[in-house]
């Protein structure tokens, strides 16, 4: 963001990274301070293109490129008029044509191409399709309301759950305190020996604990396994139907080398090939190299493609 | 390995006639291109004929070999072989008149160093061009980098080349192990090496597989030394029953030896005359066929503008002024 400066006071943007850039309908940017200064009377001309502007038309820039912001604004306005949806069209082709129309309009308005014609077209469309526009607007507001209601419900249920948990905890704490108090009272008043009372109290406390544990585990039992099978439904124990297909027969890979057969790597020593190859030093064998590898490669290369191919 | 390589599939041809035809058609294609571009002052005698192109090709091939042999640090033989193979393959499908061999030869050497993992930095590479100043070397390097992508394209991206040097080693090992009748195969090594060096300057690499060339080298040096190796082919290579293959192999070897014998060093006077002709052709026609390959720029925007300017400039220079020019 720092590479873009305010075109008027240039320096201020770099020095003050928290400064915001504002964009107007002509697509040119100004920092907040400059907007204040230039539009102190509420209206003025743009610095770069001299179009008459109002101060309240300035919006905080969201994108790095001011033309993008300009296009976003224009699009919002156009979409308020051109608000048909896919279900309003008979075929996908028509819907796509409609969308292309909308894009053309947005493009023209953003790049100042043929502005009057485009505005005329927009007005004409608005006049022709007034009722459709109204209907769609109504639908949109209804959808938004439904969404909001759903959100509200979800929030409320969350709140309730939280409250319930809190209450449960409170109750448990109180129960514990009561039993402790009861113990103290009994110790004071009862005629039974203290050890017996303590033992009773311990038993009662243990019972309370188990009760609490049980309640915690008293989750609502589910009715569905994760695979979608209902609980307590008996699954058929019939064997699955047999599917027979052709068996796979392994055929070892055969590579045509167009030459005499090469002895295997392991046999090279036995045949005496290794006597004619430079032996490997201990440093080489440490890495896994053996002289047989070099020998094998040389023999392979010597025999590969030796015979002329059978035309 | 060679048997499933691109070399065997795409760069081995049946006979010399096929190679000749390819080169002729490359020559023709260039001629037609120049004639069609409608440049003034073109006449048939300006173009190089096939045999003249051949002489130039051999001259520059020899220069490439000398360059590689004088290279510091010393280039392994496989790198040299790969460079010469690239050179030969490139001029199979392109004409000497279209791309000047002096740059292509350096580009081939540069590319083969990279492909064969013989690591030389670009400055070290052009440092081997001793007759140029450092500024001249820079310019040559730029030219090499321009033509590198074109070279790779014309090789159809088949960059792995199988040379006959390792098969030669393999055959010597096999001889020592399985053919005790031959007492000292090492004595054959030197003349076989020379044979291979000569063979890489011929079309043998485009007609036979590298192991066949290596076998021919060994049999040739054995017969030169007066030793007979008939039974090797029959016994050890298992060709006793397969008379057909045996005869085909002998045929192939005979053809390879003929190719080597036919090779003659280009004569300096001829070379000079043809070189002058080549320079003239390049000076005249290289501006319209100015395929400055821009393989390495990052900034598309700049390149597109520059190319447009070039096109406009070349339009004006050849006198084609469009009626609806803007």
């Amino acid at each position: 963001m720092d590479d873009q400066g305010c075109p008027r006071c240039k320096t201020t943007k770099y020095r003050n990274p928290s400064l915001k850039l504002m964009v107007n309908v002509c697509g040119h940017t100004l920092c907040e301070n400059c907007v204040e200064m230039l539009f102190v009377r509420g209206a003025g001309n743009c610095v770069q293109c001299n179009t008459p502007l109002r101060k309240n038309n300035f919006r905080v820039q969201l994108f790095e490129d001011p033309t993008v912001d300009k296009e976003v604004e224009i699009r919002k306005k156009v979409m308020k008029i051109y608000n048909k949806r896919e279900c309003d069209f008979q075929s996908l082709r028509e819907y796509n044509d409609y969308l292309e129309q909308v894009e053309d309009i947005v493009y023209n308005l953003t790049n100042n191409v043929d502005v009057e014609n485009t505005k005329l077209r927009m007005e004409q469309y608005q006049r022709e399709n007034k009722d459709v526009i109204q209907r769609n607007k109504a639908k949109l507001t209804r959808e938004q309301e439904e969404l909001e209601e759903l959100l509200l419900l979800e929030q409320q249920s969350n709140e309730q759950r939280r409250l319930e948990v809190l209450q449960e905890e409170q109750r448990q704490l109180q129960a514990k305190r009561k039993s402790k108090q009861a113990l103290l009272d009994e110790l004071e008043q009862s005629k039974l020996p203290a050890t017996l009372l303590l033992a009773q109290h311990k038993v009662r406390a243990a019972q309370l604990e188990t009760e609490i544990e049980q309640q915690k585990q008293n989750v609502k039992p589910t009715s569905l396994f994760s695979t979608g099978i209902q609980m307590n439904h008996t699954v058929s124990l019939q064997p699955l139907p047999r599917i027979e297909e052709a068996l796979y027969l392994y055929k070892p890979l055969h590579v045509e080398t167009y030459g005499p057969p090469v002895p295997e790597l392991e046999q090279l020593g036995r045949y005496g090939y290794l006597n004619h190859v430079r032996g490997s030093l201990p440093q080489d064998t440490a890495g896994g190299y053996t002289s047989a590898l070099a020998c094998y490669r040389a023999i392979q290369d010597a025999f590969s493609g030796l015979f002329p191919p059978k035309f | 390995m060679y048997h499933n390589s691109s070399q065997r599939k795409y760069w081995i041809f049946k006979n010399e006639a096929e190679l000749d035809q390819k080169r002729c058609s490359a020559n023709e294609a260039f001629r037609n291109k120049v004639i069609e571009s409608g440049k003034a002052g073109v006449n048939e005698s300006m173009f190089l004929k096939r045999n003249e192109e051949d002489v130039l090709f051999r001259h520059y091939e020899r220069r490439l070999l000398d360059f590689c042999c004088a290279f510091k640090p010393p280039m392994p033989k496989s790198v040299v072989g790969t460079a010469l193979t690239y050179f030969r393959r490139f001029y199979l499908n392109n004409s000497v008149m279209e791309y000047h061999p002096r740059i292509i030869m350096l580009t081939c050497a540069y590319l083969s160093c990279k492909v064969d993992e013989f690591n030389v930095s670009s400055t070290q590479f052009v440092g081997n061009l001793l007759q140029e100043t450092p500024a001249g070397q820079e310019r040559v390097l730029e030219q090499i980098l321009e033509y590198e992508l074109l070279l790779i394209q014309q090789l159809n991206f088949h960059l792995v080349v199988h040379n006959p040097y390792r098969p030669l080693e393999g055959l010597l090992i096999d001889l020592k192990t399985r053919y005790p009748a031959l007492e000292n195969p090492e004595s054959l090594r030197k003349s076989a090496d020379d044979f291979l060096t000569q063979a890489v300057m011929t079309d043998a690499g485009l007609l036979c597989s590298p192991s066949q060339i290596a076998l021919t080298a060994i049999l040739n040096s054995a017969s030169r030394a007066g030793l007979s190796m008939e039974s090797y082919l029959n016994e050890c290579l298992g060709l006793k029953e397969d008379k057909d293959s045996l005869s085909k192999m002998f045929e192939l070897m005979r053809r390879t030896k003929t190719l080597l014998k036919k090779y003659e060093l280009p004569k300096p006077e001829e070379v000079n005359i043809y070189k002058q002709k080549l320079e003239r052709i390049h000076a005249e026609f290289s501006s319209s066929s100015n395929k400055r390959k821009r393989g390495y720029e990052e900034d598309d925007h700049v390149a597109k503008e520059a190319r447009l300017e070039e096109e406009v400039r070349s339009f004006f220079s050849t006198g084609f002024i469009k009626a609806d020019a803007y």
Side-chain angles (χ1 to χ4, degrees):
Chain A
M1 256 309 252
D2 276 313
D3 52 339
Q4 231 196 347
C6 169
R8 199 166 157 269
C9 59
K10 294 194 211 274
T11 55
T12 322
K13 181 63 191 164
Y14 306 133
R15 292 215 208 115
N16 192 354
S18 69
L19 199 63
K20 291 203 272 286
L21 284 175
M22 318 265 276
V23 192
N24 208 318
V25 291
C26 63
H28 293 128
T29 54
L30 279 176
C31 74
E32 268 181 298
N33 291 349
C34 290
V35 170
E36 287 292 323
M37 277 197 281
L38 286 177
F39 292 87
V40 70
R41 272 182 59 228
N45 285 359
C46 171
V47 172
Q48 283 132 331
C49 61
N50 258 328
T51 40
L53 298 172
R54 277 197 268 262
K55 181 170 168 195
N56 52 12
N57 276 341
F58 271 98
R59 264 167 260 288
V60 177
Q61 189 178 7
L62 294 164
F63 302 96
E64 264 197 40
D65 191 355
T67 36
V68 178
D69 260 304
K70 179 177 171 191
E71 191 190 324
V72 166
E73 288 295 320
I74 291 176
R75 196 178 281 273
K76 263 196 247 170
K77 287 198 203 122
V78 169
M79 291 315 277
K80 280 220 184 95
I81 300 178
Y82 284 83
N83 59 0
K84 280 199 195 162
R85 295 182 205 187
E86 190 166 354
C87 44
D88 290 328
F89 291 93
Q90 267 89 20
S91 74
L92 185 63
R93 186 60 208 252
E94 289 178 32
Y95 183 52
N96 286 337
D97 285 339
Y98 166 79
L99 287 176
E100 194 177 341
Q101 259 187 339
V102 175
E103 289 302 321
D104 275 337
I105 291 181
V106 173
Y107 180 82
N108 285 349
L109 289 176
T110 316
N111 297 40
N112 300 327
V113 167
D114 216 8
V115 182
E116 291 93 34
N117 266 341
T118 317
K119 287 222 169 95
L120 278 171
R121 254 196 291 161
M122 275 174 68
E123 283 171 21
Q124 192 186 13
Y125 175 85
Q126 194 172 9
R127 259 177 281 133
E128 281 169 17
N129 300 308
K130 226 185 246 183
D131 48 343
V132 185
I133 294 174
Q134 284 288 70
R135 225 188 318 141
N136 281 341
K137 246 197 245 178
K139 254 197 250 173
L140 193 64
T141 44
R142 241 183 297 139
E143 275 177 12
Q144 277 181 335
E145 278 174 21
E146 281 171 16
L147 258 171
E148 280 192 29
E149 277 177 32
L150 275 171
L151 279 171
L152 205 63
L153 265 171
E154 212 186 301
Q155 256 189 338
Q156 283 177 344
S157 61
N158 276 349
E159 266 298 313
Q160 266 190 329
R161 241 180 286 143
R162 213 168 49 86
L163 279 172
E164 274 176 23
V165 169
L166 265 173
Q167 280 176 351
E168 197 43 53
E169 278 185 25
Q170 292 279 8
R171 253 178 275 150
Q172 285 166 6
L173 265 171
Q174 277 192 345
K176 276 201 196 139
R177 246 184 268 142
K178 253 196 234 161
S179 77
K180 276 209 191 117
Q181 195 61 31
L183 172 65
L184 286 174
D185 285 336
E186 279 196 6
L187 281 173
E188 268 187 40
Q189 295 158 2
S190 159
K191 298 215 176 54
L192 299 167
T195 43
L196 197 57
L197 284 173
L198 274 174
Q200 277 181 347
H201 172 79
K202 260 204 206 132
V203 167
R204 247 178 288 149
Q207 273 180 347
L208 252 179
E209 286 286 328
T210 45
E211 262 181 42
I212 294 174
E213 284 297 317
Q214 268 183 357
Q215 272 193 348
K216 274 206 199 136
Q217 285 171 0
N218 204 10
V219 186
K220 184 173 124 193
T222 49
S223 60
L224 265 186
F225 280 113
S226 60
T227 50
I229 304 178
Q230 302 260 350
M231 293 252 191
N232 296 331
H233 260 207
T234 46
V235 181
S236 155
L237 289 173
Q238 297 278 342
L240 288 173
R242 236 179 129 80
I243 309 175
E244 289 256 5
E245 286 185 25
L247 281 176
Y248 170 69
L249 276 170
Y250 170 68
K251 292 195 197 76
L253 182 66
H254 173 67
V255 180
E256 174 66 59
T257 63
Y258 301 104
V262 181
E264 303 275 324
L265 181 60
E266 297 83 12
Q267 314 281 354
L268 283 178
R270 198 146 55 82
Y271 290 141
Y273 281 97
L274 296 183
N275 308 334
H276 306 292
V277 187
R278 186 180 63 190
S280 44
L281 307 164
Q283 293 99 304
D284 303 330
T285 46
Y289 172 82
T290 55
S291 56
L293 285 166
C295 183
Y296 188 55
R297 180 130 188 240
I299 303 283
Q300 264 187 327
D301 257 348
F303 288 168
S304 158
L306 196 50
F307 297 158
K310 321 232 175 277
F311 280 118
Chain B
M1 291 274 90
Y2 172 74
H3 47 259
N4 49 11
S5 68
S6 58
Q7 185 172 343
R8 191 181 69 84
K9 279 193 211 140
Y10 303 106
W11 293 100
I12 297 284
F13 303 98
K14 284 216 207 70
N15 46 32
E16 290 104 70
E18 207 177 320
L19 298 175
D20 242 344
Q21 200 202 3
K22 276 185 171 283
R23 292 182 177 129
C24 281
S25 50
N27 192 324
E28 297 249 333
F30 179 73
R31 284 178 195 231
N32 293 338
K33 193 162 79 148
V34 169
I35 294 175
E36 261 165 41
S37 78
K39 247 197 127 153
V42 165
N43 82 47
E44 277 297 318
S45 66
M46 282 181 59
F47 295 124
L48 289 171
K49 295 205 246 319
R50 270 296 314 138
N51 57 334
E52 302 170 1
E53 274 192 352
D54 253 346
V55 169
L56 279 174
F57 175 77
R58 265 179 280 142
H59 167 76
Y60 277 104
E61 195 183 31
R62 188 121 278 248
R63 287 216 11 213
L64 178 58
L65 185 64
D66 295 334
F67 173 73
C68 291
C69 292
F71 201 83
K72 299 219 166 8
M75 247 192 214
K77 279 190 289 203
S78 63
V79 179
V80 181
T82 313
L84 287 165
T85 312
Y86 285 165
F87 196 62
R88 193 167 280 278
R89 285 187 192 176
F90 182 82
Y91 281 116
L92 194 59
N93 295 318
N94 298 286
S95 158
V96 179
M97 300 186 272
E98 193 165 0
Y99 304 106
H100 200 295
R102 114 170 80 86
I103 309 170
I104 297 288
M105 108 187 170
L106 292 174
T107 317
C108 284
Y110 186 64
L111 184 64
S112 90
C113 287
K114 279 199 213 173
V115 168
D116 246 345
E117 302 187 354
F118 172 63
N119 198 348
V120 184
S121 75
S122 55
T123 21
Q124 217 179 354
F125 186 85
V126 291
N128 276 294
L129 291 164
L130 299 165
Q131 66 272 47
E132 305 257 0
T133 66
Q137 287 173 352
E138 279 286 315
R139 256 177 291 133
V140 171
L141 182 61
E142 273 177 28
Q143 284 179 320
I144 292 179
L145 291 177
E146 268 182 37
Y147 280 91
E148 190 175 0
L149 193 59
L150 169 73
L151 175 66
I152 298 182
Q153 260 181 332
Q154 293 301 321
L155 293 173
N156 210 356
F157 298 87
H158 297 142
L159 297 176
V160 175
V161 166
H162 294 269
N163 288 302
Y165 306 107
R166 212 183 290 119
L168 178 70
E169 299 283 342
L171 283 172
L172 284 174
I173 296 174
D174 196 46
L175 278 176
K176 288 182 213 167
T177 317
R178 288 204 293 176
Y179 198 56
L182 193 62
E183 258 134 40
N184 191 5
E186 280 299 316
S187 57
L188 300 176
R189 185 188 283 263
K190 179 84 183 42
S191 55
D193 255 344
D194 293 333
F195 186 94
L196 287 183
T197 324
Q198 282 183 329
V200 83
M201 309 276 281
T202 68
D203 280 336
L206 295 169
L207 296 168
C208 328
S209 73
S211 47
Q212 282 165 347
I213 302 178
L215 186 62
T216 317
I218 291 199
L219 288 179
N220 184 324
S221 46
S223 63
R224 284 258 196 91
L227 307 158
S228 148
M229 288 189 46
E230 279 293 325
S231 49
Y232 177 63
L233 284 171
N234 288 333
E235 305 285 337
C236 304
L237 296 183
L239 285 174
K240 214 178 346 183
E241 293 86 37
D242 201 351
K243 292 289 172 206
D244 192 30
S245 294
L246 196 60
S247 61
K248 275 210 203 123
M249 280 182 69
F250 275 125
E251 172 69 31
L252 209 61
M253 292 199 264
R254 203 176 43 77
R255 270 172 36 200
T256 319
K257 284 190 224 172
T258 336
L259 273 176
L260 257 88
K261 286 208 194 95
K262 269 201 311 194
Y263 178 81
E264 46 180 57
L265 218 49
K267 302 192 192 57
E269 322 84 48
E270 281 184 3
V271 170
N272 279 330
I273 302 174
Y274 302 148
K275 239 200 210 179
Q276 279 175 1
K277 251 181 138 181
L278 185 70
E279 298 296 339
R280 258 190 76 205
I281 295 178
H282 270 274
E284 292 242 2
F285 302 128
S286 76
S287 55
S288 66
S289 66
N290 191 1
K291 294 207 186 66
R292 296 197 53 200
K293 292 297 167 195
R294 302 162 180 278
Y296 295 99
E297 78 267 317
E298 282 90 31
D299 200 356
D300 267 340
H301 179 64
V302 171
K304 283 202 179 98
E305 272 190 21
R307 225 177 265 165
L308 185 58
E309 274 179 32
E310 246 188 60
E311 278 182 11
V312 172
R313 243 188 284 130
S314 69
F315 266 156
F316 279 117
S317 72
T318 58
F320 278 5
I321 301 178
K322 279 183 134 171
D324 53 345
Y326 24 173

